[in-house]
Amino acid sequence: MELMREGQLSRLRWQNSGLSQIIVEEKDANGTWCKSGSQAVTPERFPIRLFSQGQIAAMAGESRQALLSVIDEAAQVGKLKREFEEEKRSFLTQRARLRELEGKLADRHEVERRLHEVVKKLDAFAQAHHAEVLKAHAHAQNQRREVEQLLEQMRALPGRIEEVVQDLILDDWPSGVFDDASDADVLKWRKKADDAVRQARQALKQASCALAESARLFEQDPLLAAWRKRTDKARADFDALQQALAAQGVNDPQAFGQLVQERQYLEAKLKRLDQIKAERDTLEEAIATQWQKVVKAREAITSARAEFVKKILDGNPYVRIEVVPFGFDARVIERSLRELLEATDDRFENDILAMDAAGNPTGGLAFEIAHADDRKAALDSSKKQLQTIADAFGGHFKNYLKKKLERPEFADRIQCWFPEDDLRIEYSRRADGTDWAALTQGSQGQRSAALLAFLLAFGEEPLVLDQPEDDLDNHLIYDLIVRQIRENKLRRQLVIVTHNPNIVVNGDAELVHVLDFRGGQCRVVERGALQENPVREEVCRVMEGGREAFERRWKRLGRRV
């Protein structure tokens, strides 16, 4: 098969073998076919649509999701779907991080309680035994911690500057892009840019060395030495106090030191927990914002579908389609919900979708969503019931959900669940844009005609139709198929397999292949234009009314046989 797309002629070759390998070829400068560097065969690279009568009949029946896929491809909804999945992944990632932070904060109240008790004991200890010494020691301990942290930061800063220096570099230009002779000006300009970056690197290296030397001198600074002498005195006074307490017969002379250490440990831990709490609070706000992005991304998919259908079918006299957010068919919603809950059998039918004796939906979560005036509100309510295990659920379903929700991420998956949109399709009984009725009320021919009218209403890629006349009477064949074939020919290539010569003649076929079953397989008997006698004879042979009917049709086109 050869396909011309955007001025590029490509050829696909394959054999009907077990491997069914497809080879993609392109013409080189000498006009010789050769294997393409890319062997990818994708709808984007080789756009073509193929519909059989069976497919059209199925999409006109219960396979509306297949039609929705066709709409998505034509409306380029794939990008919006990928964005929706990316937003969901971000939301789920943030929720996982929130659970991690909540786990770390679980013992925060216990840390606060323990710290409160330790402080009370130290206060009582200080009041009874030389409070000034104890307070001075505690104050010196806090100062030493802050000073040491600052010194550590000073020691680390030169290394951080060195890391910046390593990243401060311009990418090399690929060889062969610029010529030393003809591009001397821009190459000279590039050298100036490289020199500027090199000077910046040198300046940063000098700054790093200077800062390292400053850090070393700061540790020997007389001011710091004076402070250390003062804190050392506070520590010596504290040691003397401990010895005095032991001499006075204190039951646990080491208790005060242990309490001080425990207080420092608990204070440091509480400080870390405060930082985690601040991160948790910020993350909760980010999650709320991210959830709105998820909702908007899902709404964008529905909007793109609805806008495409409205644009394509504006003024169409045969069919009209409404995109229904989250669907209206309880059975379709049930299948989606069961996949979410990993309960694809018939369990929990009273909770998910209850049926009467005639097989009609009567209740359950899927029923409530499908028949709600506000499906979005009903969907949110159903999610809440699943996440909280509503009292109205049956006992077996409650136990099942309780086990599922032992994995916290399962509740997040429920939150991100959105049933697929559905299509409410109507057709014109008179095929003139009036007397509209639900597609399900039409005959097989009327349903197929309506869907075929939609499929022929858009697209510029080559279209292959296999026996589109099946299930259609002659009136529909002419009013629908023939007219739209003529319109489609102006913007796309059509390949039609048909047993109806009216489509060949009235559709103004430009190249006819007459096939017959000979020698055990289908063979091309004749090929050519309708103006060629052998082709006309074959068409007349199978046409109702024979040659006479063909002549009447041909005269209507202004020609003589």
Side-chain angles (χ1 to χ4, degrees):
M1 183 184 75
E2 295 181 8
L3 179 67
M4 175 72 75
R5 179 174 180 269
E6 297 180 356
Q8 175 65 49
L9 182 62
S10 301
R11 183 168 72 174
L12 301 180
R13 292 197 302 110
W14 68 92
Q15 291 182 342
N16 187 18
S17 62
L19 297 177
S20 299
Q21 182 180 8
I22 299 176
I23 299 176
V24 183
E25 297 179 328
E26 296 176 350
K27 283 188 175 181
D28 58 17
N30 298 324
T32 303
W33 287 107
C34 57
K35 192 172 181 180
S36 172
S38 172
Q39 291 295 302
V41 180
T42 63
E44 293 78 16
R45 187 179 185 189
F46 299 105
I48 187 169
R49 293 190 182 279
L50 189 151
F51 296 109
S52 67
Q53 182 276 336
Q55 285 177 290
I56 296 172
M59 287 189 288
E62 298 297 327
S63 299
R64 294 185 302 275
Q65 292 302 311
L67 179 60
L68 192 67
S69 298
V70 174
I71 293 174
D72 286 351
E73 183 179 338
Q76 298 181 348
V77 178
K79 178 181 178 182
L80 297 177
K81 286 184 174 180
R82 290 190 293 272
E83 291 176 355
F84 173 56
E85 293 300 324
E86 289 174 1
E87 299 296 357
K88 282 202 302 183
R89 281 194 293 270
S90 296
F91 174 78
L92 294 173
T93 300
Q94 290 178 341
R95 287 286 302 168
R97 175 59 178 166
L98 180 64
R99 288 193 295 273
E100 180 183 350
L101 296 181
E102 292 285 5
K104 293 179 178 180
L105 290 173
D107 62 344
R108 187 174 190 277
H109 294 299
E110 176 62 16
V111 173
E112 290 177 332
R113 184 194 65 78
R114 289 170 55 193
L115 179 60
H116 179 68
E117 289 184 354
V118 169
V119 170
K120 285 179 60 177
K121 292 178 181 179
L122 285 173
D123 288 344
F125 213 99
Q127 292 175 4
H129 306 286
H130 309 285
E132 292 182 0
V133 173
L134 299 177
K135 289 179 180 179
H137 177 262
H139 186 61
Q141 286 282 86
N142 292 333
Q143 287 186 347
R144 271 195 293 270
R145 182 176 63 250
E146 297 299 328
V147 169
E148 288 301 324
Q149 288 179 355
L150 181 61
L151 289 174
E152 286 296 326
Q153 291 177 348
M154 287 288 294
R155 298 185 193 105
L157 284 177
R160 293 172 59 183
I161 295 176
E162 287 294 332
E163 292 177 358
V164 173
V165 171
Q166 295 302 321
D167 293 336
L168 199 63
I169 187 170
L170 297 174
D171 293 338
D172 291 336
W173 281 344
S175 61
V177 176
F178 296 95
D179 184 72
D180 293 342
S182 59
D183 297 320
D185 48 0
V186 73
L187 292 175
K188 184 176 180 181
W189 171 83
R190 169 61 193 258
K191 184 177 182 303
K192 292 172 62 178
D194 290 335
D195 290 342
V197 173
R198 186 162 47 253
Q199 292 173 6
R201 287 167 56 90
Q202 291 174 353
L204 287 175
K205 288 182 178 180
Q206 292 174 358
S208 174
C209 294
L211 188 57
E213 178 63 17
S214 297
R216 186 183 66 81
L217 294 176
F218 279 141
E219 295 191 40
Q220 302 173 3
D221 194 288
L223 296 175
L224 186 63
W227 169 82
R228 280 180 173 156
K229 184 177 180 181
R230 187 167 63 253
T231 56
D232 289 343
K233 182 178 182 305
R235 178 182 295 173
D237 291 343
F238 172 73
D239 292 340
L241 174 60
Q242 281 189 313
Q243 295 175 4
L245 289 173
Q248 294 173 9
V250 175
N251 293 332
D252 185 7
Q254 302 299 324
F256 182 77
Q258 295 173 355
L259 288 173
V260 170
Q261 291 179 359
E262 185 175 2
R263 183 184 67 179
Q264 291 177 342
Y265 167 76
L266 292 174
E267 286 177 342
K269 186 172 183 178
L270 188 60
K271 183 178 180 180
R272 290 194 300 271
L273 291 175
D274 287 340
Q275 294 172 346
I276 293 173
K277 181 178 180 300
E279 182 182 351
R280 189 273 311 271
D281 295 342
T282 302
L283 183 57
E284 285 182 333
E285 296 177 1
I287 288 174
T289 301
Q290 183 61 33
W291 174 245
Q292 293 305 314
K293 292 181 179 179
V294 173
V295 173
K296 289 181 179 179
R298 179 60 180 83
E299 291 173 347
I301 294 174
T302 301
S303 297
R305 291 166 171 167
E307 290 172 5
F308 174 78
V309 170
K310 180 180 179 181
K311 177 182 177 182
I312 293 301
L313 294 181
D314 185 27
N316 191 293
Y318 306 104
V319 62
R320 62 187 184 187
I321 298 176
E322 176 192 1
V323 179
V324 181
F326 312 136
F328 57 84
D329 190 331
R331 293 182 179 86
V332 176
I333 298 175
E334 177 202 16
R335 287 195 294 270
S336 175
L337 180 55
R338 285 188 175 278
E339 289 177 1
L340 170 72
L341 299 177
E342 298 175 345
T344 54
D345 49 19
D346 295 332
R347 291 177 293 170
F348 322 125
E349 62 272 10
N350 290 331
D351 302 296
I352 297 177
L353 183 62
M355 299 282 193
D356 60 16
N360 299 313
T362 58
L365 294 175
F367 180 85
E368 294 173 3
I369 297 172
H371 292 82
D373 293 332
D374 187 346
R375 274 185 295 276
K376 186 176 185 301
L379 177 61
D380 291 339
S381 175
S382 297
K383 292 178 182 179
K384 193 69 174 177
Q385 293 179 63
L386 291 169
Q387 292 169 328
T388 58
I389 312 180
D391 293 336
F393 291 153
H396 292 300
F397 192 44
K398 286 182 179 179
N399 293 334
Y400 181 80
L401 288 176
K402 183 178 179 180
K403 185 176 180 179
K404 285 288 185 181
L405 290 169
E406 289 176 356
R407 295 182 291 120
E409 63 273 11
F410 187 72
D412 297 336
R413 288 178 53 199
I414 293 175
Q415 184 68 25
C416 291
W417 173 63
F418 293 91
E420 185 57 280
D421 297 337
D422 208 336
L423 302 173
R424 186 172 281 120
I425 310 172
E426 295 181 321
Y427 77 103
S428 173
R429 288 193 177 99
R430 300 178 181 176
D432 60 358
T434 64
D435 194 16
W436 295 96
L439 188 64
T440 53
Q441 298 177 9
S443 66
Q444 181 62 55
Q446 289 169 323
R447 294 201 300 269
S448 296
L451 261 294
L452 191 56
F454 174 68
L455 296 173
L456 290 172
F458 62 90
E460 297 181 354
E461 66 280 350
L463 177 64
V464 179
L465 293 176
D466 183 11
Q467 297 179 226
E469 74 277 4
D470 285 9
D471 300 324
L472 304 183
D473 56 32
N474 286 331
H475 170 73
L476 286 174
I477 290 174
Y478 181 76
D479 286 346
L480 174 64
I481 299 181
V482 171
R483 289 182 181 180
Q484 294 210 53
I485 284 175
R486 291 176 179 174
E487 295 174 2
N488 271 251
K489 284 173 60 176
L490 301 178
R491 68 175 191 272
R492 72 200 313 181
Q493 181 178 359
L494 298 177
V495 179
I496 301 176
V497 182
T498 179
H499 293 287
N500 192 313
N502 291 310
I503 293 179
V504 178
V505 178
N506 294 326
D508 298 340
E510 298 173 8
L511 179 60
V512 179
H513 295 263
V514 182
L515 292 97
D516 198 359
F517 193 76
R518 299 180 181 179
Q521 66 180 35
C522 276
R523 298 179 183 273
V524 176
V525 178
E526 295 290 346
R527 65 162 58 90
L530 284 171
Q531 293 88 340
E532 300 177 18
N533 284 329
V535 174
R536 293 206 303 270
E537 291 297 332
E538 290 292 338
V539 173
C540 289
R541 185 170 60 84
V542 296
M543 177 175 286
E544 294 180 6
R547 184 180 183 86
E548 182 181 352
F550 183 81
E551 289 182 356
R552 287 201 301 269
R553 288 168 172 78
W554 196 256
K555 288 178 181 179
R556 186 174 68 235
L557 298 176
R559 297 294 188 89
R560 297 183 62 84
V561 178

